Amino acid sequence: MGQQLLGGLRVLELARVLAGPWIGQTLADLGADVVKVESPSGDETRGWGPPFADDGAAAYFHACNRGKRSLTLDFADPDDRALARQLASQADVVVENFKLGGLVKHGLDYASVAATNPGVVYASITGFGQDGPLAPRAGYDFIIQAMGGIMDLTGEPDGEPQKPGVAHADLFTGLYGTIGVLAALQARAQTGKGQWIDLALFDTQLAALANQATNHLIGGVVPRRMGNAHPNIVPYQVFEASDGPLVIACGNDGQFARLCEELGLTLHRDPRLMRNRDRLQHRDEVAGAISARTAGMTRAAVLVAMERAGVPAGPINTVAEAFAEPQAVARGMVETAGASRSPRLPLRFSDANTLPSGPPPRLGEHDAAIRAALASGDGWPERH
């Protein structure tokens, strides 16, 4: 089975919904012991259904909480606050997404925790960060997508701005947050000192604009919606076959020449179209010529032709079709743990176990065991 890469790592998750729990789940998949603290009413995503799993929790909750333990605490109760502080004092990592300064009154902010646990790696997730004029404002993924530029880039040129089909800012923040936690743990191994990681959804959304950001920052252009076309590459978009759409992603001039040869086109011999930088100026002409060919072919025939030419192409699948792809089946991309079925961690190691240690926990499932261990003075409760 291989080693547990983060075996022995203790993570206290004071987070709910998606970005923070995504960090917790990723660390849990890598072997960390994650205790998820929930209010007596639970993480609200437990009710974000249908659909619901057999354990009664919404599929949304199952998407980001596998492999954890659940402890319910009421922060209005002094004894429960003390239990939370006890856990924080022994944690290697604390992940929280309370509003700015929201944990100070509970003695669970970074300064308070680090006073008794100087080696703690403490990740704070907010909408806009710990400083700046918008720092006090609550941040929701949809609002951040709107403010952070991604919606203005998504959709048809003559249509309204669109959000991606998943919580773009939350997920990227969860991934950047995981990277930050692992980097801080590496630094702690060398110095013995912990870190406070300030994660803002807004910062993350700006960073995740990638080449669209540098197109603006370097080139001075303001990128706009282009539907499924690419701002820097032609042809790189959706084309219609006789029985449905597919994507052709032609990444260099050599691929373009082979595409043309395979489809019986002569575009690659036109001096105006030989180089990608020139094709950008004749986007409609190139796309129109290719579309005229693919429209008379089945999707399967186009895909076979592109495979033969060594040009990247693929069908536009539904979610169901994506998981039914032979490649997804061969790679075991669906993980089953108890009542939960979800995509597996997309990391493969030569000698490590990344299977989930269990399904998402029922609300308060581990209350008795964790409270008993803390009351006995044994310290961080061992997982059994």
Side-chain angles (χ1 to χ4, degrees):
M1 293 293 289
Q3 62 178 307
Q4 291 274 320
L5 292 171
L6 299 181
L9 189 74
R10 299 169 172 180
V11 180
L12 179 64
E13 183 184 298
L14 306 177
R16 59 191 215 285
V17 185
L18 186 52
W22 200 260
I23 296 175
Q25 177 172 271
T26 305
L27 297 175
D29 281 348
L30 293 171
D33 179 10
V34 180
V35 173
K36 179 181 181 71
V37 171
E38 301 183 67
S39 70
S41 59
D43 187 318
E44 52 260 56
T45 62
R46 288 183 178 273
W48 283 11
F52 292 94
D54 292 343
D55 62 358
Y60 196 114
F61 180 82
H62 278 244
C64 50
N65 286 289
R66 64 176 173 248
K68 304 175 185 178
R69 293 189 281 174
S70 173
L71 171 66
T72 56
L73 295 177
D74 182 355
F75 282 3
D77 183 324
D79 292 336
D80 278 6
R81 290 199 302 272
L83 287 177
R85 290 193 294 269
Q86 189 176 351
L87 285 169
S89 70
Q90 300 169 45
D92 296 294
V93 178
V94 174
V95 179
E96 63 93 4
N97 65 352
F98 279 67
K99 290 181 180 179
L100 187 71
L103 288 174
V104 173
K105 61 185 177 182
H106 303 309
L108 288 165
D109 58 298
Y110 173 70
S112 299
V113 173
T116 59
N117 184 2
V120 70
V121 171
Y122 189 105
S124 292
I125 302 168
T126 57
F128 296 96
Q130 298 295 313
D131 53 26
L134 297 184
R137 185 182 294 185
Y140 293 86
D141 176 88
F142 195 12
I143 306 303
I144 299 299
Q145 287 192 42
M147 295 180 65
I150 190 65
M151 286 184 64
D152 192 55
L153 296 174
T154 307
E156 293 300 321
D158 56 352
E160 67 177 10
Q162 295 284 327
K163 67 179 182 65
V166 295
H168 194 267
D170 273 342
L171 289 172
F172 267 96
T173 302
L175 293 174
Y176 272 113
T178 302
I179 294 168
V181 165
L182 296 176
L185 288 170
Q186 171 64 16
R188 187 185 72 173
Q190 298 170 345
T191 68
K193 295 176 59 178
Q195 298 272 351
W196 186 17
I197 306 171
D198 174 5
L199 287 157
L201 297 181
F202 184 66
D203 295 354
T204 298
Q205 182 57 82
L206 293 177
L209 293 176
N211 60 294
Q212 295 282 32
T214 52
N215 285 346
H216 167 61
L217 296 172
I218 293 174
V221 299
V222 179
R224 298 307 304 270
R225 293 186 295 285
M226 299 179 63
N228 288 307
H230 195 288
N232 301 109
I233 309 172
V234 172
Y236 198 102
Q237 63 188 77
V238 173
F239 291 95
E240 289 288 338
S242 61
D243 57 349
L246 71 153
V247 168
I248 297 176
C250 200
N252 58 56
D253 296 336
Q255 290 177 355
F256 178 67
R258 296 196 300 275
L259 178 150
C260 292
E261 293 283 356
E262 188 65 41
L263 295 181
L265 298 171
T266 59
L267 301 173
H268 60 302
R269 298 180 190 144
D270 186 333
R272 299 175 305 122
L273 306 175
M274 290 179 176
R275 298 187 306 172
N276 179 72
R277 65 191 304 168
D278 299 322
R279 290 194 295 276
L280 287 171
Q281 309 305 315
H282 302 280
R283 181 187 299 274
D284 292 343
E285 178 182 350
V286 173
I290 296 172
S291 295
R293 284 288 195 273
T294 61
M297 304 169 65
T298 66
R299 189 163 68 169
V302 176
L303 292 173
V304 168
M306 293 302 99
E307 179 76 14
R308 192 162 51 230
V311 175
I316 299 177
N317 286 332
T318 65
V319 171
E321 289 168 338
F323 280 104
E325 278 277 358
Q327 183 67 18
V329 175
R331 298 282 288 178
M333 280 305 299
V334 175
E335 197 65 68
T336 301
S340 184
R341 298 184 77 232
S342 58
R344 62 165 290 163
L345 182 74
L347 297 173
R348 297 274 186 111
F349 298 90
S350 61
D351 184 27
N353 174 21
T354 58
L355 298 176
S357 55
R362 297 186 301 275
L363 179 61
E365 178 179 347
H366 305 94
D367 280 3
I370 294 175
R371 287 176 179 271
L374 293 174
S376 70
D378 290 341
W380 183 276
E382 294 300 319
R383 183 169 195 157
H384 301 291

mmCIF file of all heavy atoms in Angstrom, residues 305-350:
data_model
loop_
_atom_site.group_PDB
_atom_site.id
_atom_site.type_symbol
_atom_site.label_atom_id
_atom_site.label_comp_id
_atom_site.label_asym_id
_atom_site.label_seq_id
_atom_site.Cartn_x
_atom_site.Cartn_y
_atom_site.Cartn_z
ATOM 1 N N ALA A 305 -9.064 11.114 -37.384
ATOM 2 C CA ALA A 305 -8.174 11.866 -38.268
ATOM 3 C C ALA A 305 -7.176 12.687 -37.459
ATOM 4 O O ALA A 305 -5.985 12.752 -37.803
ATOM 5 C CB ALA A 305 -9.001 12.777 -39.179
ATOM 6 N N MET A 306 -7.634 13.307 -36.399
ATOM 7 C CA MET A 306 -6.727 14.117 -35.581
ATOM 8 C C MET A 306 -5.718 13.230 -34.849
ATOM 9 O O MET A 306 -4.550 13.600 -34.689
ATOM 10 C CB MET A 306 -7.527 14.959 -34.578
ATOM 11 C CG MET A 306 -8.406 16.042 -35.218
ATOM 12 S SD MET A 306 -7.491 17.224 -36.238
ATOM 13 C CE MET A 306 -7.787 16.554 -37.893
ATOM 14 N N GLU A 307 -6.157 12.067 -34.415
ATOM 15 C CA GLU A 307 -5.225 11.124 -33.784
ATOM 16 C C GLU A 307 -4.145 10.703 -34.780
ATOM 17 O O GLU A 307 -2.960 10.643 -34.438
ATOM 18 C CB GLU A 307 -6.002 9.907 -33.287
ATOM 19 C CG GLU A 307 -5.149 8.831 -32.624
ATOM 20 C CD GLU A 307 -4.715 9.208 -31.223
ATOM 21 O OE1 GLU A 307 -5.284 10.168 -30.652
ATOM 22 O OE2 GLU A 307 -3.786 8.555 -30.709
ATOM 23 N N ARG A 308 -4.557 10.453 -35.990
ATOM 24 C CA ARG A 308 -3.614 10.049 -37.028
ATOM 25 C C ARG A 308 -2.613 11.167 -37.334
ATOM 26 O O ARG A 308 -1.439 10.919 -37.590
ATOM 27 C CB ARG A 308 -4.406 9.681 -38.289
ATOM 28 C CG ARG A 308 -3.627 8.985 -39.370
ATOM 29 C CD ARG A 308 -4.553 8.273 -40.349
ATOM 30 N NE ARG A 308 -5.604 9.156 -40.841
ATOM 31 C CZ ARG A 308 -6.908 8.844 -40.845
ATOM 32 N NH1 ARG A 308 -7.318 7.678 -40.383
ATOM 33 N NH2 ARG A 308 -7.801 9.693 -41.329
ATOM 34 N N ALA A 309 -3.097 12.410 -37.252
ATOM 35 C CA ALA A 309 -2.240 13.558 -37.554
ATOM 36 C C ALA A 309 -1.406 14.009 -36.356
ATOM 37 O O ALA A 309 -0.536 14.873 -36.498
ATOM 38 C CB ALA A 309 -3.102 14.724 -38.045
ATOM 39 N N GLY A 310 -1.684 13.445 -35.195
ATOM 40 C CA GLY A 310 -0.959 13.878 -33.999
ATOM 41 C C GLY A 310 -1.388 15.248 -33.524
ATOM 42 O O GLY A 310 -0.593 16.009 -32.958
ATOM 43 N N VAL A 311 -2.669 15.567 -33.726
ATOM 44 C CA VAL A 311 -3.226 16.858 -33.305
ATOM 45 C C VAL A 311 -4.167 16.619 -32.130
ATOM 46 O O VAL A 311 -5.099 15.813 -32.230
ATOM 47 C CB VAL A 311 -3.986 17.540 -34.452
ATOM 48 C CG1 VAL A 311 -4.666 18.826 -33.974
ATOM 49 C CG2 VAL A 311 -3.035 17.848 -35.607
ATOM 50 N N PRO A 312 -3.968 17.284 -30.982
ATOM 51 C CA PRO A 312 -4.844 17.071 -29.832
ATOM 52 C C PRO A 312 -6.297 17.404 -30.159
ATOM 53 O O PRO A 312 -6.601 18.450 -30.729
ATOM 54 C CB PRO A 312 -4.285 18.033 -28.782
ATOM 55 C CG PRO A 312 -2.854 18.233 -29.177
ATOM 56 C CD PRO A 312 -2.861 18.197 -30.676
ATOM 57 N N ALA A 313 -7.192 16.485 -29.812
ATOM 58 C CA ALA A 313 -8.625 16.671 -30.038
ATOM 59 C C ALA A 313 -9.381 15.773 -29.076
ATOM 60 O O ALA A 313 -8.851 14.768 -28.592
ATOM 61 C CB ALA A 313 -9.001 16.346 -31.485
ATOM 62 N N GLY A 314 -10.611 16.145 -28.795
ATOM 63 C CA GLY A 314 -11.407 15.326 -27.894
ATOM 64 C C GLY A 314 -12.872 15.682 -27.971
ATOM 65 O O GLY A 314 -13.234 16.795 -28.371
ATOM 66 N N PRO A 315 -13.728 14.743 -27.583
ATOM 67 C CA PRO A 315 -15.164 15.012 -27.570
ATOM 68 C C PRO A 315 -15.532 15.920 -26.400
ATOM 69 O O PRO A 315 -14.795 16.015 -25.418
ATOM 70 C CB PRO A 315 -15.770 13.622 -27.389
ATOM 71 C CG PRO A 315 -14.733 12.875 -26.606
ATOM 72 C CD PRO A 315 -13.410 13.388 -27.107
ATOM 73 N N ILE A 316 -16.652 16.592 -26.508
ATOM 74 C CA ILE A 316 -17.172 17.377 -25.385
ATOM 75 C C ILE A 316 -18.128 16.470 -24.624
ATOM 76 O O ILE A 316 -19.251 16.221 -25.057
ATOM 77 C CB ILE A 316 -17.870 18.656 -25.870
ATOM 78 C CG1 ILE A 316 -16.873 19.541 -26.622
ATOM 79 C CG2 ILE A 316 -18.483 19.414 -24.695
ATOM 80 C CD1 ILE A 316 -17.465 20.798 -27.219
ATOM 81 N N ASN A 317 -17.673 15.962 -23.505
ATOM 82 C CA ASN A 317 -18.424 14.985 -22.732
ATOM 83 C C ASN A 317 -19.319 15.643 -21.690
ATOM 84 O O ASN A 317 -18.997 16.703 -21.153
ATOM 85 C CB ASN A 317 -17.462 14.049 -21.990
ATOM 86 C CG ASN A 317 -16.786 13.054 -22.898
ATOM 87 O OD1 ASN A 317 -17.330 12.681 -23.929
ATOM 88 N ND2 ASN A 317 -15.600 12.610 -22.509
ATOM 89 N N THR A 318 -20.412 14.980 -21.371
ATOM 90 C CA THR A 318 -21.138 15.308 -20.150
ATOM 91 C C THR A 318 -20.307 14.802 -18.970
ATOM 92 O O THR A 318 -19.334 14.054 -19.141
ATOM 93 C CB THR A 318 -22.507 14.617 -20.128
ATOM 94 O OG1 THR A 318 -22.303 13.193 -20.073
ATOM 95 C CG2 THR A 318 -23.337 14.977 -21.363
ATOM 96 N N VAL A 319 -20.694 15.177 -17.755
ATOM 97 C CA VAL A 319 -19.998 14.668 -16.577
ATOM 98 C C VAL A 319 -20.085 13.144 -16.536
ATOM 99 O O VAL A 319 -19.102 12.451 -16.240
ATOM 100 C CB VAL A 319 -20.572 15.295 -15.295
ATOM 101 C CG1 VAL A 319 -19.993 14.614 -14.056
ATOM 102 C CG2 VAL A 319 -20.282 16.799 -15.258
ATOM 103 N N ALA A 320 -21.254 12.611 -16.873
ATOM 104 C CA ALA A 320 -21.414 11.153 -16.873
ATOM 105 C C ALA A 320 -20.492 10.505 -17.891
ATOM 106 O O ALA A 320 -19.856 9.475 -17.619
ATOM 107 C CB ALA A 320 -22.873 10.798 -17.173
ATOM 108 N N GLU A 321 -20.416 11.092 -19.079
ATOM 109 C CA GLU A 321 -19.542 10.538 -20.119
ATOM 110 C C GLU A 321 -18.078 10.649 -19.726
ATOM 111 O O GLU A 321 -17.268 9.768 -20.052
ATOM 112 C CB GLU A 321 -19.795 11.261 -21.439
ATOM 113 C CG GLU A 321 -21.138 10.930 -22.075
ATOM 114 C CD GLU A 321 -21.488 11.854 -23.223
ATOM 115 O OE1 GLU A 321 -20.938 12.986 -23.278
ATOM 116 O OE2 GLU A 321 -22.322 11.465 -24.056
ATOM 117 N N ALA A 322 -17.719 11.723 -19.026
ATOM 118 C CA ALA A 322 -16.327 11.898 -18.612
ATOM 119 C C ALA A 322 -15.890 10.774 -17.680
ATOM 120 O O ALA A 322 -14.800 10.201 -17.833
ATOM 121 C CB ALA A 322 -16.140 13.254 -17.936
ATOM 122 N N PHE A 323 -16.746 10.429 -16.702
ATOM 123 C CA PHE A 323 -16.374 9.362 -15.768
ATOM 124 C C PHE A 323 -16.485 7.982 -16.402
ATOM 125 O O PHE A 323 -15.889 7.024 -15.904
ATOM 126 C CB PHE A 323 -17.217 9.454 -14.494
ATOM 127 C CG PHE A 323 -16.723 10.487 -13.534
ATOM 128 C CD1 PHE A 323 -17.380 11.700 -13.395
ATOM 129 C CD2 PHE A 323 -15.581 10.272 -12.790
ATOM 130 C CE1 PHE A 323 -16.913 12.674 -12.524
ATOM 131 C CE2 PHE A 323 -15.093 11.229 -11.913
ATOM 132 C CZ PHE A 323 -15.767 12.445 -11.783
ATOM 133 N N ALA A 324 -17.237 7.884 -17.500
ATOM 134 C CA ALA A 324 -17.348 6.613 -18.203
ATOM 135 C C ALA A 324 -16.238 6.413 -19.234
ATOM 136 O O ALA A 324 -16.115 5.318 -19.802
ATOM 137 C CB ALA A 324 -18.709 6.514 -18.895
ATOM 138 N N GLU A 325 -15.430 7.448 -19.470
ATOM 139 C CA GLU A 325 -14.312 7.315 -20.415
ATOM 140 C C GLU A 325 -13.422 6.133 -19.987
ATOM 141 O O GLU A 325 -13.092 5.995 -18.805
ATOM 142 C CB GLU A 325 -13.477 8.595 -20.438
ATOM 143 C CG GLU A 325 -14.025 9.702 -21.311
ATOM 144 C CD GLU A 325 -13.630 9.530 -22.772
ATOM 145 O OE1 GLU A 325 -12.900 8.563 -23.091
ATOM 146 O OE2 GLU A 325 -14.075 10.357 -23.587
ATOM 147 N N PRO A 326 -13.024 5.295 -20.923
ATOM 148 C CA PRO A 326 -12.137 4.179 -20.563
ATOM 149 C C PRO A 326 -10.892 4.628 -19.804
ATOM 150 O O PRO A 326 -10.405 3.901 -18.928
ATOM 151 C CB PRO A 326 -11.786 3.572 -21.926
ATOM 152 C CG PRO A 326 -12.966 3.893 -22.791
ATOM 153 C CD PRO A 326 -13.418 5.251 -22.338
ATOM 154 N N GLN A 327 -10.379 5.811 -20.121
ATOM 155 C CA GLN A 327 -9.198 6.306 -19.416
ATOM 156 C C GLN A 327 -9.502 6.550 -17.948
ATOM 157 O O GLN A 327 -8.701 6.219 -17.056
ATOM 158 C CB GLN A 327 -8.688 7.589 -20.076
ATOM 159 C CG GLN A 327 -7.414 8.142 -19.461
ATOM 160 C CD GLN A 327 -6.208 7.250 -19.680
ATOM 161 O OE1 GLN A 327 -6.219 6.381 -20.558
ATOM 162 N NE2 GLN A 327 -5.169 7.441 -18.890
ATOM 163 N N ALA A 328 -10.676 7.146 -17.669
ATOM 164 C CA ALA A 328 -11.067 7.403 -16.283
ATOM 165 C C ALA A 328 -11.256 6.103 -15.522
ATOM 166 O O ALA A 328 -10.874 5.978 -14.353
ATOM 167 C CB ALA A 328 -12.348 8.247 -16.240
ATOM 168 N N VAL A 329 -11.841 5.109 -16.197
ATOM 169 C CA VAL A 329 -12.048 3.802 -15.569
ATOM 170 C C VAL A 329 -10.704 3.133 -15.288
ATOM 171 O O VAL A 329 -10.460 2.603 -14.198
ATOM 172 C CB VAL A 329 -12.932 2.915 -16.462
ATOM 173 C CG1 VAL A 329 -13.046 1.507 -15.867
ATOM 174 C CG2 VAL A 329 -14.320 3.532 -16.629
ATOM 175 N N ALA A 330 -9.801 3.164 -16.280
ATOM 176 C CA ALA A 330 -8.492 2.533 -16.112
ATOM 177 C C ALA A 330 -7.693 3.171 -14.995
ATOM 178 O O ALA A 330 -6.938 2.490 -14.295
ATOM 179 C CB ALA A 330 -7.711 2.608 -17.427
ATOM 180 N N ARG A 331 -7.855 4.480 -14.817
ATOM 181 C CA ARG A 331 -7.107 5.194 -13.773
ATOM 182 C C ARG A 331 -7.800 5.142 -12.412
ATOM 183 O O ARG A 331 -7.276 5.671 -11.434
ATOM 184 C CB ARG A 331 -6.901 6.650 -14.191
ATOM 185 C CG ARG A 331 -6.095 6.839 -15.457
ATOM 186 C CD ARG A 331 -4.607 6.669 -15.225
ATOM 187 N NE ARG A 331 -4.045 7.788 -14.474
ATOM 188 C CZ ARG A 331 -2.767 7.869 -14.095
ATOM 189 N NH1 ARG A 331 -1.933 6.894 -14.414
ATOM 190 N NH2 ARG A 331 -2.331 8.916 -13.426
ATOM 191 N N GLY A 332 -8.964 4.518 -12.336
ATOM 192 C CA GLY A 332 -9.660 4.395 -11.054
ATOM 193 C C GLY A 332 -10.031 5.738 -10.456
ATOM 194 O O GLY A 332 -9.839 5.962 -9.259
ATOM 195 N N MET A 333 -10.588 6.632 -11.290
ATOM 196 C CA MET A 333 -10.817 7.999 -10.837
ATOM 197 C C MET A 333 -12.050 8.179 -9.970
ATOM 198 O O MET A 333 -12.307 9.275 -9.479
ATOM 199 C CB MET A 333 -10.886 8.946 -12.041
ATOM 200 C CG MET A 333 -9.523 9.340 -12.579
ATOM 201 S SD MET A 333 -8.439 10.070 -11.318
ATOM 202 C CE MET A 333 -9.388 11.503 -10.827
ATOM 203 N N VAL A 334 -12.826 7.107 -9.746
ATOM 204 C CA VAL A 334 -13.949 7.185 -8.820
ATOM 205 C C VAL A 334 -13.580 6.439 -7.549
ATOM 206 O O VAL A 334 -13.215 5.257 -7.598
ATOM 207 C CB VAL A 334 -15.237 6.603 -9.431
ATOM 208 C CG1 VAL A 334 -16.356 6.596 -8.395
ATOM 209 C CG2 VAL A 334 -15.651 7.402 -10.654
ATOM 210 N N GLU A 335 -13.652 7.141 -6.433
ATOM 211 C CA GLU A 335 -13.298 6.566 -5.138
ATOM 212 C C GLU A 335 -14.572 6.283 -4.355
ATOM 213 O O GLU A 335 -15.448 7.146 -4.247
ATOM 214 C CB GLU A 335 -12.422 7.558 -4.362
ATOM 215 C CG GLU A 335 -11.666 6.936 -3.224
ATOM 216 C CD GLU A 335 -10.646 5.925 -3.724
ATOM 217 O OE1 GLU A 335 -9.667 6.316 -4.360
ATOM 218 O OE2 GLU A 335 -10.855 4.726 -3.459
ATOM 219 N N THR A 336 -14.695 5.091 -3.827
ATOM 220 C CA THR A 336 -15.848 4.724 -3.001
ATOM 221 C C THR A 336 -15.378 4.517 -1.568
ATOM 222 O O THR A 336 -14.452 3.756 -1.309
ATOM 223 C CB THR A 336 -16.522 3.441 -3.525
ATOM 224 O OG1 THR A 336 -16.953 3.652 -4.870
ATOM 225 C CG2 THR A 336 -17.722 3.083 -2.668
ATOM 226 N N ALA A 337 -16.030 5.242 -0.648
ATOM 227 C CA ALA A 337 -15.708 5.108 0.775
ATOM 228 C C ALA A 337 -17.017 5.168 1.550
ATOM 229 O O ALA A 337 -17.631 6.222 1.674
ATOM 230 C CB ALA A 337 -14.769 6.221 1.232
ATOM 231 N N GLY A 338 -17.471 4.026 2.017
ATOM 232 C CA GLY A 338 -18.744 3.991 2.709
ATOM 233 C C GLY A 338 -19.872 4.401 1.778
ATOM 234 O O GLY A 338 -20.024 3.885 0.676
ATOM 235 N N ALA A 339 -20.664 5.383 2.222
ATOM 236 C CA ALA A 339 -21.785 5.866 1.425
ATOM 237 C C ALA A 339 -21.357 6.887 0.388
ATOM 238 O O ALA A 339 -22.184 7.419 -0.348
ATOM 239 C CB ALA A 339 -22.841 6.498 2.352
ATOM 240 N N SER A 340 -20.066 7.156 0.314
ATOM 241 C CA SER A 340 -19.571 8.247 -0.527
ATOM 242 C C SER A 340 -18.910 7.732 -1.798
ATOM 243 O O SER A 340 -18.169 6.751 -1.776
ATOM 244 C CB SER A 340 -18.552 9.082 0.259
ATOM 245 O OG SER A 340 -18.127 10.187 -0.488
ATOM 246 N N ARG A 341 -19.205 8.398 -2.904
ATOM 247 C CA ARG A 341 -18.492 8.174 -4.169
ATOM 248 C C ARG A 341 -18.059 9.542 -4.675
ATOM 249 O O ARG A 341 -18.880 10.451 -4.813
ATOM 250 C CB ARG A 341 -19.374 7.478 -5.204
ATOM 251 C CG ARG A 341 -19.833 6.101 -4.793
ATOM 252 C CD ARG A 341 -20.633 5.437 -5.905
ATOM 253 N NE ARG A 341 -19.753 4.929 -6.961
ATOM 254 C CZ ARG A 341 -19.887 5.203 -8.249
ATOM 255 N NH1 ARG A 341 -20.846 6.020 -8.657
ATOM 256 N NH2 ARG A 341 -19.061 4.676 -9.146
ATOM 257 N N SER A 342 -16.784 9.691 -4.951
ATOM 258 C CA SER A 342 -16.271 10.991 -5.375
ATOM 259 C C SER A 342 -15.011 10.785 -6.205
ATOM 260 O O SER A 342 -14.426 9.696 -6.205
ATOM 261 C CB SER A 342 -15.958 11.868 -4.152
ATOM 262 O OG SER A 342 -15.013 11.242 -3.297
ATOM 263 N N PRO A 343 -14.556 11.823 -6.927
ATOM 264 C CA PRO A 343 -13.300 11.691 -7.670
ATOM 265 C C PRO A 343 -12.136 11.481 -6.713
ATOM 266 O O PRO A 343 -12.066 12.122 -5.656
ATOM 267 C CB PRO A 343 -13.173 13.041 -8.402
ATOM 268 C CG PRO A 343 -14.544 13.614 -8.404
ATOM 269 C CD PRO A 343 -15.195 13.129 -7.147
ATOM 270 N N ARG A 344 -11.227 10.596 -7.065
ATOM 271 C CA ARG A 344 -10.085 10.332 -6.207
ATOM 272 C C ARG A 344 -9.080 11.478 -6.301
ATOM 273 O O ARG A 344 -9.105 12.286 -7.242
ATOM 274 C CB ARG A 344 -9.403 9.020 -6.575
ATOM 275 C CG ARG A 344 -8.836 8.980 -7.989
ATOM 276 C CD ARG A 344 -7.868 7.816 -8.175
ATOM 277 N NE ARG A 344 -6.641 8.057 -7.424
ATOM 278 C CZ ARG A 344 -5.753 7.112 -7.125
ATOM 279 N NH1 ARG A 344 -5.979 5.868 -7.503
ATOM 280 N NH2 ARG A 344 -4.653 7.405 -6.469
ATOM 281 N N LEU A 345 -8.192 11.536 -5.329
ATOM 282 C CA LEU A 345 -7.098 12.497 -5.374
ATOM 283 C C LEU A 345 -6.292 12.254 -6.643
ATOM 284 O O LEU A 345 -5.821 11.145 -6.885
ATOM 285 C CB LEU A 345 -6.204 12.323 -4.146
ATOM 286 C CG LEU A 345 -5.032 13.305 -4.016
ATOM 287 C CD1 LEU A 345 -5.539 14.675 -3.612
ATOM 288 C CD2 LEU A 345 -4.024 12.791 -3.001
ATOM 289 N N PRO A 346 -6.107 13.282 -7.492
ATOM 290 C CA PRO A 346 -5.439 13.061 -8.781
ATOM 291 C C PRO A 346 -3.924 13.100 -8.691
ATOM 292 O O PRO A 346 -3.252 13.737 -9.494
ATOM 293 C CB PRO A 346 -5.978 14.210 -9.635
ATOM 294 C CG PRO A 346 -6.164 15.320 -8.666
ATOM 295 C CD PRO A 346 -6.628 14.663 -7.390
ATOM 296 N N LEU A 347 -3.383 12.420 -7.690
ATOM 297 C CA LEU A 347 -1.937 12.333 -7.512
ATOM 298 C C LEU A 347 -1.563 10.870 -7.388
ATOM 299 O O LEU A 347 -2.166 10.138 -6.598
ATOM 300 C CB LEU A 347 -1.485 13.088 -6.256
ATOM 301 C CG LEU A 347 -1.713 14.606 -6.210
ATOM 302 C CD1 LEU A 347 -1.361 15.141 -4.829
ATOM 303 C CD2 LEU A 347 -0.869 15.305 -7.267
ATOM 304 N N ARG A 348 -0.559 10.471 -8.128
ATOM 305 C CA ARG A 348 -0.045 9.104 -8.035
ATOM 306 C C ARG A 348 1.408 9.160 -7.585
ATOM 307 O O ARG A 348 2.217 9.865 -8.188
ATOM 308 C CB ARG A 348 -0.126 8.412 -9.394
ATOM 309 C CG ARG A 348 -1.544 8.228 -9.943
ATOM 310 C CD ARG A 348 -2.179 6.953 -9.403
ATOM 311 N NE ARG A 348 -3.463 6.692 -10.035
ATOM 312 C CZ ARG A 348 -3.698 5.695 -10.883
ATOM 313 N NH1 ARG A 348 -2.707 4.883 -11.243
ATOM 314 N NH2 ARG A 348 -4.898 5.487 -11.371
ATOM 315 N N PHE A 349 1.734 8.436 -6.532
ATOM 316 C CA PHE A 349 3.103 8.370 -6.033
ATOM 317 C C PHE A 349 3.623 6.944 -6.197
ATOM 318 O O PHE A 349 2.852 5.984 -6.153
ATOM 319 C CB PHE A 349 3.159 8.779 -4.564
ATOM 320 C CG PHE A 349 2.730 10.194 -4.293
ATOM 321 C CD1 PHE A 349 1.400 10.489 -4.009
ATOM 322 C CD2 PHE A 349 3.645 11.227 -4.318
ATOM 323 C CE1 PHE A 349 1.001 11.790 -3.754
ATOM 324 C CE2 PHE A 349 3.254 12.539 -4.068
ATOM 325 C CZ PHE A 349 1.933 12.823 -3.790
ATOM 326 N N SER A 350 4.919 6.814 -6.334
ATOM 327 C CA SER A 350 5.486 5.488 -6.553
ATOM 328 C C SER A 350 5.399 4.611 -5.307
ATOM 329 O O SER A 350 5.337 3.387 -5.413
ATOM 330 C CB SER A 350 6.950 5.609 -6.992
ATOM 331 O OG SER A 350 7.728 6.259 -5.987
#
